[in-house]
């Protein structure tokens, strides 16, 4: 599985840097992914996942049920140990996710729950913050700039543009400046 994840990372990195008329920049410390965390990122485009997974081979993504069940794409993500959010809620997934974290994986979540058509960051759902609290993991925020302009949610044609991946400083699991519990965060 480690080899598989490394190949996904290499493939996505190569693809991102060979998209015609699109320049890419990464701001921040990529070495932050050496320690497991809950990665939260805004969601603008189908390309978000590619740009996220090119950062490290040690990232597991939480997915929707329809993605998990998709005939072709679903097989790829199931083999990569991506994890579906089931109807019973995130609470029922804690043990399985704890095992992945023990293997050194970070868990990536797009807390808006869906891609933003207007490119604004919308209200976050609480699942990522609940997991961070229960698994005692830092939160690693990432902001994608420009991906929605390159490939908008409503379009299927790539546009010329610049993509910036902004890796913000980690928020320690015991940092209460954003709130005392997951509901406040």
């Amino acid at each position: 599985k480690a080899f598989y994840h490394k190949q996904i990372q290499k493939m996505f990195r190569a693809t991102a840097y060979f998209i015609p008329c699109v320049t890419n920049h990464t701001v921040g410390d990529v070495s932050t992914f050496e320690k497991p965390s809950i990665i939260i990122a805004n969601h603008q485009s189908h390309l978000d996942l590619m740009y996220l997974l090119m950062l490290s081979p040690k990232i597991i993504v939480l997915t929707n049920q329809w993605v998990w069940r998709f005939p072709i794409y679903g097989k790829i993500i199931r083999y990569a140990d991506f994890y579906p959010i089931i109807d019973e809620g995130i609470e029922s997934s804690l043990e399985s996710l704890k095992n992945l974290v023990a293997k050194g994986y970070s868990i990536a979540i797009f807390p808006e729950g869906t891609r933003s058509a207007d490119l604004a960051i919308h209200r976050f759902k609480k699942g990522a913050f609940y997991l961070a609290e229960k698994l005692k993991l830092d939160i690693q925020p990432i902001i994608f700039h420009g991906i929605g302009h390159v490939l908008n949610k409503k379009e299927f044609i790539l546009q010329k543009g610049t993509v910036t991946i902004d890796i913000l400083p980690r928020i320690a699991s015991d940092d209460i400046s954003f709130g005392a519990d997951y509901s406040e965060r």
Side-chain angles (χ1 to χ4, degrees):
K1 294 280 176 119
F3 177 77
Y4 185 68
H5 281 265
K6 190 67 174 167
Q7 296 311 306
I8 289 173
Q9 179 194 21
K10 286 180 180 179
M11 179 183 68
F12 284 160
R13 185 177 293 150
T15 302
Y17 284 96
F18 287 112
I19 297 174
C21 301
V22 176
T23 57
N24 300 291
H25 304 284
T26 302
V27 178
D29 186 9
V30 178
S31 70
T32 190
F33 300 111
E34 293 173 6
K35 179 183 173 196
S37 64
I38 298 293
I39 300 168
I40 60 170
N42 59 318
H43 202 12
Q44 299 179 350
S45 169
H46 283 294
L47 297 177
D48 296 339
L49 186 61
M50 176 182 75
Y51 279 99
L52 179 65
L53 293 177
M54 73 179 218
L55 298 173
S56 171
K58 298 296 271 185
I59 298 174
I60 297 295
V61 181
L62 294 189
T63 67
N64 292 326
Q65 284 285 347
W66 74 266
V67 174
W68 180 257
R69 293 183 181 134
F70 195 76
I72 298 165
Y73 186 60
K75 289 179 183 181
I76 295 166
I77 65 170
R78 283 192 299 271
Y79 188 75
D81 291 329
F82 289 13
Y83 203 83
I85 302 299
I86 54 177
D87 297 333
E88 290 79 32
I90 198 80
E91 298 84 5
S92 62
S93 305
L94 280 175
E95 257 335 285
S96 298
L97 294 173
K98 191 181 291 186
N99 291 335
L100 291 168
V101 169
K103 294 177 183 176
Y105 287 98
S106 290
I107 300 167
I109 302 172
F110 296 106
E112 293 167 283
T114 187
R115 288 172 285 133
S116 171
D118 64 3
L119 307 182
I121 297 177
H122 295 276
R123 182 163 177 78
F124 289 176
K125 295 181 173 72
K126 62 184 176 183
F129 308 97
Y130 173 82
L131 280 179
E133 183 176 297
K134 294 300 179 187
L135 298 175
K136 296 178 179 30
L137 292 173
D138 296 348
I139 295 173
Q140 176 59 67
I142 296 176
I143 299 175
F144 295 118
H145 301 277
I147 296 177
H149 295 290
V150 170
L151 183 64
N152 191 282
K153 175 180 181 174
K154 296 178 181 179
E155 298 178 15
F156 297 100
I157 299 172
L158 290 169
Q159 304 294 321
K160 180 179 179 179
T162 300
V163 171
T164 302
I165 305 165
D166 196 356
I167 303 168
L168 301 176
R170 279 178 176 247
I171 301 169
S173 61
D174 58 355
D175 181 350
I176 60 168
S177 62
F178 292 95
D181 63 15
Y182 73 90
S183 296
E184 292 176 10
R185 288 184 175 189

